[in-house]
Amino acid sequence: MRFARSPGSSASSRRAAALFLCLAWAAGGLLGGARLARAGGGPENVMLVVNARSWASKTIANHYIQLRGIPQRNVVYLDWSDRLFDAITIDVFRQKILLPVLQTIEAQGLGNQIDYVIYSADFPTTVNFQADAGATKLPPQLSAFASLNALTYYYQFAAAKNPLYLHIGPEPYSNLYYRRTTGTPRDGATVGFRNWYGWGPNGEPLEAGGQRYLLSTLLAVTGGRGNSVSEVIAYLKASRLADGTRPKGTVYYMDNPDVRSSERKTAAKFPTQPAFADAVAALQKLGVAAEIAQGIYPQNKPDVQGLMMGSEKFDWAASRSKIRPGAICEHLTSFGGMFDDAIKQTPLTEFLRYGAAGASGTVIEPYLILQKFPSPFVQVHYVRGASLAEAFYQSTAGPFQLLIVGDALCQPWANIPRVAVTGVTPNSEIKGILQIQPTAQVAGGSAIQRYVLYVDGLAIAGCGPGESLQFDTRRLVDGYHLLSVVAIENSAVETQGRWTAPVSVNNQGLACQLAMVTPAKRVTAGRPLALQVNAPGAAQVVVTHQARPVAALAGAAGTVEVDTSDLGFGPVTLKAVAY
């Protein structure tokens, strides 16, 4: 544990201090100095949604926040107390989940930043949207059930009570971000997702107009036939370490008589979806090993870096194969996204249990409509540098029933810029006008498109290559802050790299201190945590966890207690703000 002593504020008469600790249950590293965070998209582009009533959801979120550097303002806690494995109605989804998330994004000033809405765990996975369909009688193939993440992706339709996401083919698709592999000049080209893009009828990104989406996945499913919290933390850590490594494994496409395999092998019923052979050829052209293998799953293979199967039941342990960190694995079956113990088909969580970064499955019988599933090119987009979430949504024409679980930001093949700055150093004290000169190196000599400066997760300045980032620190509350300089690669994928470091703003010379009464690196969750606060001249001090108030002190100095049972396990950041 360490604490940051942070001098105070200017016009707002506020100052801040931060303290980092680990609530004992699972090991978690502590935030150090400058970090070269590596991610597809980035932590500043994520809104992480946590179930405030679930210890599992909070614990998984704690670890993901620490692994990915998610800013405090980018986390929203929902008080979800309803059942988890019954389908909720579209009205409940709108009022209790979607609209609160969208409202938080706007309230935090993040409307132009958020690309991803990621759910931690312990949220319902299925939504019944019959109320929006009205009196329309839907055919069984288009039953009125959708996944939690898909309706979040189609947020504009869902908020407007417009079920146009049902239209899945063959032309046009409900998902205009889908990369068609025939019939357009783009011909399946991989394109990075950014929140300000609209998408045109041919899948072209538009600076204005077009259809807009929000990439969305779940980090985990922990109930029913889901994963244990320990399993989730393990695959999230492995996924984080896989970023930018350009792994040397093999992508396997399984060929067997099961209709789930044979239909997708040729894709004859869906001419704009590539077949297995097309994907293998594309991967090999990119220098990645890929093959069509016979059987249900690859056997005795230690190098499974990606996998597409077609089987309703399987026992991965019996394969004696090893899933490598960062792998996307998927098995095109009817109930892969259903976790009730009565379901006999193997759930998507089996892949995650053995180390995959992400997997998917439908939440209702999909009737083997290929547009509802990722095409074989999900692996191609991934290898071209897309994040896991970008790869899934670029390869699925009509994802409205597809549940995607795993690390949305994982990006093993990304060409990640390595960023350096002059003008500021980690843990330094800054004041007045700050001028930062960023530079970046990218493997292969790729150019940088632009740089963006974030303070505590909020974009406040930008510049082009060779220019400098400048901002007035007097606009900030004095005390502890986190600076991130993000470099964006000049390519269609727009890969990000970042330099991140804590600093202390001191424009007024006031002080704020936060420390544990009994210093320790680890504390026992469930026991009260006593904190010493000292902020001379303050009228009140509020202690927060991810922007949630967890304790308050009337006056300038004294001791407060935090109820650690409300924080979840794992690495935790507490912040004190003096008024």
Side-chain angles (χ1 to χ4, degrees), residues 164-176:
L164 275 180
Y165 42 79
L166 278 170
H167 192 18
I168 60 174
E171 298 278 356
Y173 311 112
S174 65
N175 177 17
L176 299 180

Side-chain angles (χ1 to χ4, degrees), residues 51-81:
N51 183 348
R53 295 204 181 196
S54 163
W55 73 269
S57 188
K58 289 183 286 188
T59 297
I60 291 166
N62 287 342
H63 283 269
Y64 196 67
I65 289 164
Q66 187 264 345
L67 286 167
R68 290 293 180 181
I70 308 295
Q72 288 197 10
R73 71 171 67 243
N74 292 54
V75 184
V76 56
Y77 289 79
L78 299 183
D79 187 29
W80 185 264
S81 59

Side-chain angles (χ1 to χ4, degrees), residues 176-194:
L176 299 180
Y177 184 47
Y178 172 69
R179 307 287 90 198
R180 286 176 287 182
T181 54
T182 59
T184 72
R186 303 197 66 82
D187 203 29
T190 301
V191 179
F193 183 96
R194 296 294 177 260

Side-chain angles (χ1 to χ4, degrees), residues 203-556:
E204 67 275 19
L206 305 172
E207 292 288 347
Q211 183 60 51
R212 296 181 67 179
Y213 307 105
L214 282 169
L215 299 177
S216 184
T217 68
L218 285 71
L219 291 180
V221 174
T222 57
R225 301 185 300 157
N227 297 111
S228 69
V229 173
S230 294
E231 289 173 340
V232 175
I233 293 170
Y235 68 67
L236 291 177
K237 286 183 176 179
S239 301
R240 168 67 178 83
L241 293 174
D243 284 351
T245 59
R246 302 196 67 81
K248 301 300 183 183
T250 301
V251 178
Y252 293 93
Y253 293 88
M254 303 311 301
D255 180 12
N256 61 62
D258 193 311
V259 67
R260 297 168 179 82
S261 171
S262 59
E263 282 292 306
R264 189 156 49 176
K265 176 185 175 183
T266 60
K269 295 180 181 178
F270 189 16
T272 59
Q273 177 165 297
F276 282 179
D278 300 321
V280 169
L283 290 168
Q284 291 175 345
K285 185 176 180 180
L286 292 166
V288 172
E291 64 179 75
I292 300 173
Q294 300 298 312
I296 294 176
Y297 41 55
Q299 295 189 359
N300 300 306
K301 300 293 186 181
D303 64 342
V304 180
Q305 195 58 60
L307 178 62
M308 297 200 76
M309 293 168 41
S311 180
E312 63 178 334
K313 296 180 183 178
F314 65 93
D315 177 3
W316 185 257
S319 74
R320 297 183 180 177
S321 293
K322 183 175 178 60
I323 297 174
R324 305 299 301 166
I328 289 177
C329 299
E330 194 266 344
H331 67 320
L332 197 151
T333 192
S334 297
F335 305 131
M338 300 178 70
F339 306 97
D340 191 297
D341 290 333
I343 302 296
K344 301 305 180 184
Q345 295 184 2
T346 306
L348 65 90
T349 45
E350 185 75 357
F351 292 121
L352 300 169
R353 178 167 293 113
Y354 287 92
S360 68
T362 47
V363 296
I364 196 72
E365 172 59 65
Y367 290 91
L368 199 63
I369 297 175
L370 293 183
Q371 295 97 314
K372 296 183 180 182
F373 292 89
S375 83
F377 257 45
V378 63
Q379 307 288 350
V380 177
H381 294 303
Y382 205 32
V383 168
R384 287 174 178 166
S387 69
L388 185 142
E390 288 174 328
F392 268 108
Y393 284 104
Q394 285 185 90
S395 62
T396 311
F400 75 99
Q401 291 176 339
L402 190 70
L403 189 73
I404 305 171
V405 183
D407 186 355
L409 295 180
C410 188
Q411 202 174 23
W413 284 276
N415 198 18
I416 299 173
R418 297 186 61 83
V419 184
V421 306
T422 58
V424 63
T425 57
N427 298 305
S428 61
E429 185 175 278
I430 61 176
K431 62 174 61 178
I433 305 297
L434 183 66
Q435 188 160 303
I436 299 173
Q437 184 68 48
T439 58
Q441 294 181 340
V442 188
S446 295
I448 296 300
Q449 179 190 120
R450 64 187 182 277
Y451 295 93
V452 181
L453 173 64
Y454 294 87
V455 177
D456 301 325
L458 186 65
I460 63 170
C463 73
E467 300 175 344
S468 62
L469 295 160
Q470 181 174 295
F471 81 104
D472 187 348
T473 67
R474 291 168 296 186
R475 295 166 51 193
L476 302 176
V477 172
D478 278 18
Y480 176 90
H481 292 280
L482 203 62
L483 302 186
S484 292
V485 177
V486 174
I488 301 173
E489 181 195 21
N490 189 19
S491 73
V493 179
E494 297 187 88
T495 302
Q496 297 183 16
R498 56 190 28 78
W499 175 94
T500 299
V503 296
S504 179
V505 173
N506 182 9
N507 285 304
Q508 298 295 320
L510 301 177
C512 180
Q513 297 174 333
L514 176 66
M516 299 170 67
V517 172
T518 305
K521 291 183 178 179
R522 293 164 66 89
V523 299
T524 302
R527 295 181 181 177
L529 174 64
L531 301 175
Q532 183 67 41
V533 176
N534 185 22
Q540 182 186 33
V541 181
V542 178
V543 179
T544 64
H545 170 239
Q546 307 304 337
R548 292 187 305 159
V550 292
L553 173 72

Side-chain angles (χ1 to χ4, degrees), residues 554-566:
T559 301
V560 297
E561 282 193 348
V562 173
D563 180 3
T564 60
S565 64
D566 188 44

